[in-house]
Amino acid sequence: MISLVIVSHSKQLALGVRELAVQMVHERVPIAIAAGIEDPENPLGTDAMQVYEAIISVFSDAGVLVLMDLGSAVMSAEMALEFLSPEQRAKVYLCSSPFVEGTIAAAVSAAAGNSIQTVIAEAQGALLAKATLLGVSDNLKPHACPMARKRGVSAEKTREIRLTIKNRLGLHARPAAQFVATASRYQSQIQVQNLTRGTAAVRSDSINQVATLGARQGHELLITATGTDAQAALTALQALIVNNFGEDDRLIKVRRVAPQEVTPATEGELLGIGASGGIAIAPVVHYESVPMSIVQYRIENVEIEWQRLQAAIQIAKQEIQGLLSHTYVQIGDAEAAIFDAHLLFLEDPLLLEAARKRIIEQHINAEAAWQTVVDEVANSYYQLEDAYLQERVDDVVDVGRRVLRILLGNAPANLEITTPSIILATDLTPSDTARLDPQKVLGICTTFGSATSHSAIIARTLGIPAVLGVDAKILKVENGTLIALDGESGKAWITPNAKLVETLEAKRQAWQTAQEEAQKQAHQPAITLDGQRIPILANISSIADAQVAISNGAEGVGLLRTEFLYFDCDSVPGEEKQLTVYQSIAKVLENRPLIIRTLDVGGDKPLPYMSTGVTEANPFLGVRGIRFCLENPQLFKTHLRAILRASAGNNIKILLPMIATLAEVRAAKVILAQVQGELRQEEIPFDENMEVGIMIETPAAVAIADQLAKEVQFFSIGTNDLSQYVMAGDRNNPRVANLADALQPAVLRMIQQTVQAAHAANIWVGLCGELAADIMITPILLGLGLDELSVNPQAIAPLKQEITRLTMTQAQAIASLALQQDSATSVRAL
Ligand code: PEP
Ligand code: MG
């Protein structure tokens, strides 16, 4: 994450500016200050050493932006750079932006995950928003008059939109988190109200308030936004809702099992809720979360107490971040999103304000203040009529307990299980569940919980059978007692007899076979109901990605982004190193196709060690992709040699990015031919018939697609870039996200034109932009005639499943309707 350093003559001023920025971004951006000097008589001034220390305290490889007030602040900052190592210095940028506006714009832009160049541009352009508001944007001269002011005010007018929630489970935790994260990207004040339930309007930056709107499928929301980017914010939120928050209700595996009467049916049999299918038979291990008793006491220095709470929250966030990455890699992105919601909970401004108020006004300790506000939030969830939202209390309690544990100085509970066992507990939090090792934890049995709790969702994904809500008497069994669980029927047995074990064992075998069959489906080809087969390949950046892709059912690699290999090195990777990587990936693919895209640096992916020192005003329109390679022929030749050598005995194709002219393709092919000639002379084998293709990602390439098609064997449409270049909307700027949208009719027509040109020239055309992973769009892409789709590995199985549900006739009809729509919104609605 990019961090900021505020340098000012006045400590109070710096603290104030930081406070403003933090309010905008809810502490998501590290901000240090270096302000004032240690002279009680004359505290105004700046100190280079302080600036240096501030930079070091928030230093990040993503970049540090230094914002200064005036005069000696700039000199101190420049001097501070001298104390840094050359590597560090290269990542620190002194920004000439206006101090207050620039800091806030930079913080907002950094929080949105933008590149350092974008953050600097945002900061430097920060006065423009104010000038526009005052009607003086033409020359930025302060000639404000009452009329101009009025114009400015009207530009801030409130916009509103009414939207109906369509996804089956409504604004539950994950969609609520997406809603808050999207709204937070905009500077406008956004409020949301559930019209159907008649709630009051709540702030869109509070995860708890948004979730407790109780918005369910069919409920109508009124969203209002006030600010310069109000329209963009509403459009983005609309897209989210219309798009069902990216959820495919048909794929929701949650089985709602009504809690059943707990009556022993046979000896030792207990009935609970089947929350995760499968059979487990193993000795039990009791898991008890560390009890925490909170004592309230009086605090004199309330500021320090507030800082203590903030520090604990910070540590909790780091822990959750670790859990999030672990869950993302080991379990899946949908499950990881649960922890995104946990992070947002800790960033909820209302919750933090409430905790702070309690400490400051009541002079009470952080633990007591925190516990009270968390209890209040949990109660507000409980009071909702909605069972699903009531279950989100688990998450609130989980994240609340995490902060309390840190405040009390306790270590996380030990969940190390050494021998295969069934875990027995009153309850397991989602965090506990995500840390379980399915090799050791054969089953989960709890006396609380439900089939839709996040712990149950995680258990299902981990494939651990779980029976929840079992009679509390099961807790009396000793550690090591044999128990059996049937996660489907929701039954648990204490010390099952031999006959029952045998029956359950047989059921376990049958269950496992069924699971294996299901997994095999992901490895089946994607064939439409009327028999059209669409190859589904993966977009990858590394050898590890290739392995994940294959295990997820990829039929090859449609896009290897080679630039990541270059980013992982301190200098240009040599031919042998590249060769090893390409060969290793090809080996993982076992002769499935591997499309290697040549180096696509530049734009938002500059190659640090190849910097010319000349800053491009518009890097996305500058020396990027093929332009960079043609400017660096030696580097390009080494790259091509490695790819060609890897092609010997492997199914490799080459893909040239960022093509805008025929001359570029021809120049690249000349260099390719030179390298081929050299290899022939050296008697080094390579695939003489290796196909060459180009990315179609500039409008120019679409316009001359008929000419380009004569030069190459295939096209791959990169909608991520094509959208930004067609729509003149930076793909990394959330304020124009509604423009840089591949569903804009202009972009869809470009895809259609490309496919037509390719097919007219008898070459195949694939699509590897993110659009291909959105299964809502699959009918349109199939209907437009794409021959192949390449997506991130996680998207492969759902995409294949979607294709098997369609006919080409349906897809063509939908595509033709889509092309007639007048906006991206109406394409989505369609
Ligand atoms: C694209 O532009 O759609 C694409 C796939 O390439 P990248 O995202 O790497 O620019
Ligand atoms: Mg691209």
Side-chain angles (χ1 to χ4, degrees), residues 633-711:
Q634 204 44 56
L635 173 145
F636 193 33
K637 276 183 150 184
T638 309
H639 191 33
L640 293 176
R641 259 181 86 93
I643 298 172
L644 279 166
R645 284 177 63 193
S647 73
N650 289 313
N651 185 357
I652 288 178
K653 304 179 207 300
I654 199 163
L655 179 62
L656 306 169
M658 220 14 219
I659 295 294
T661 66
L662 271 173
E664 285 163 346
V665 182
R666 288 177 181 153
K669 281 170 61 182
V670 167
I671 299 179
L672 184 69
Q674 277 171 9
V675 177
Q676 287 172 326
E678 284 165 17
L679 289 173
R680 265 184 224 111
Q681 266 193 343
E682 294 167 50
E683 293 184 0
I684 298 178
F686 63 92
D687 177 4
E688 292 278 356
N689 300 315
M690 185 179 72
E691 287 185 15
V692 177
I694 55 168
M695 294 280 300
I696 300 288
E697 48 189 353
T698 65
V702 179
I704 57 164
D706 56 334
Q707 295 173 323
L708 291 168
K710 295 194 184 105
E711 296 285 335

Side-chain angles (χ1 to χ4, degrees), residues 543 560 576-590 594 596 642-648 650 652:
I543 306 171
L560 167 62
E576 296 305 321
K577 179 163 189 162
Q578 291 189 47
L579 176 65
T580 313
V581 173
Y582 306 148
Q583 279 176 333
S584 310
I585 293 176
K587 194 162 173 226
V588 174
L589 298 188
E590 293 174 335
L594 165 57
I596 304 186
I643 298 172
L644 279 166
R645 284 177 63 193
S647 73
N650 289 313
I652 288 178

Side-chain angles (χ1 to χ4, degrees), residues 209-430:
Q209 292 221 342
V210 170
T212 52
L213 285 173
R216 312 291 296 134
Q217 188 177 40
H219 284 190
E220 193 184 15
L221 301 186
L222 174 66
I223 309 172
T224 54
T226 311
T228 46
D229 55 5
Q231 191 51 51
L234 292 186
T235 309
L237 291 170
Q238 181 181 30
L240 205 58
I241 292 176
V242 170
N243 200 12
N244 272 1
F245 299 90
E247 286 181 359
D248 179 358
D249 290 347
R250 289 162 305 179
L251 291 182
I252 291 180
K253 295 182 219 129
V254 174
R255 224 163 33 88
R256 283 187 170 269
V257 186
Q260 297 163 34
E261 279 282 288
V262 181
T263 42
T266 59
E267 182 71 29
E269 178 181 309
L270 296 167
L271 203 51
I273 296 163
S276 173
I279 302 285
I281 308 163
V284 292
V285 170
H286 279 268
Y287 166 72
E288 275 156 40
S289 56
V290 185
M292 285 185 280
S293 60
I294 308 300
V295 183
Q296 180 174 321
Y297 52 90
R298 186 177 164 78
I299 290 295
E300 289 312 325
N301 193 335
V302 286
E303 262 315 316
I304 290 195
E305 196 61 7
W306 167 233
Q307 278 170 22
R308 198 164 76 81
L309 177 59
Q310 284 178 294
I313 290 174
Q314 210 46 47
I315 297 171
K317 281 193 200 166
Q318 281 161 11
E319 285 185 6
I320 296 171
Q321 197 62 54
L323 202 53
L324 193 146
S325 318
H326 165 86
T327 310
Y328 182 76
V329 174
Q330 303 288 333
I331 306 177
D333 49 358
E335 290 71 20
I338 295 167
F339 299 108
D340 263 334
H342 283 203
L343 283 176
L344 278 176
F345 178 87
L346 291 180
E347 285 166 10
D348 188 326
L350 292 186
L351 181 93
L352 299 178
E353 273 158 33
R356 180 167 188 270
K357 225 168 150 200
R358 279 188 181 269
I359 295 175
I360 308 276
E361 288 175 4
Q362 298 178 12
H363 278 255
I364 58 171
N365 54 319
E367 292 86 347
W370 179 250
Q371 177 75 69
T372 315
V373 296
V374 171
D375 284 350
E376 278 168 8
V377 175
N379 279 334
S380 65
Y381 277 79
Y382 265 132
Q383 277 155 22
L384 294 167
E385 283 149 29
D386 188 296
Y388 192 90
L389 285 171
Q390 281 176 3
E391 283 156 15
R392 301 287 70 79
V393 171
D394 294 355
D395 293 291
V396 174
V397 171
D398 187 3
V399 75
R401 276 180 66 88
R402 182 183 295 280
V403 174
L404 273 186
R405 174 180 55 70
I406 295 164
L407 278 172
L408 293 168
N410 295 344
N414 185 11
L415 266 170
E416 285 289 299
I417 310 282
T418 46
T419 51
S421 315
I422 289 175
I423 289 223
L424 187 55
T426 40
D427 201 4
L428 279 183
T429 62

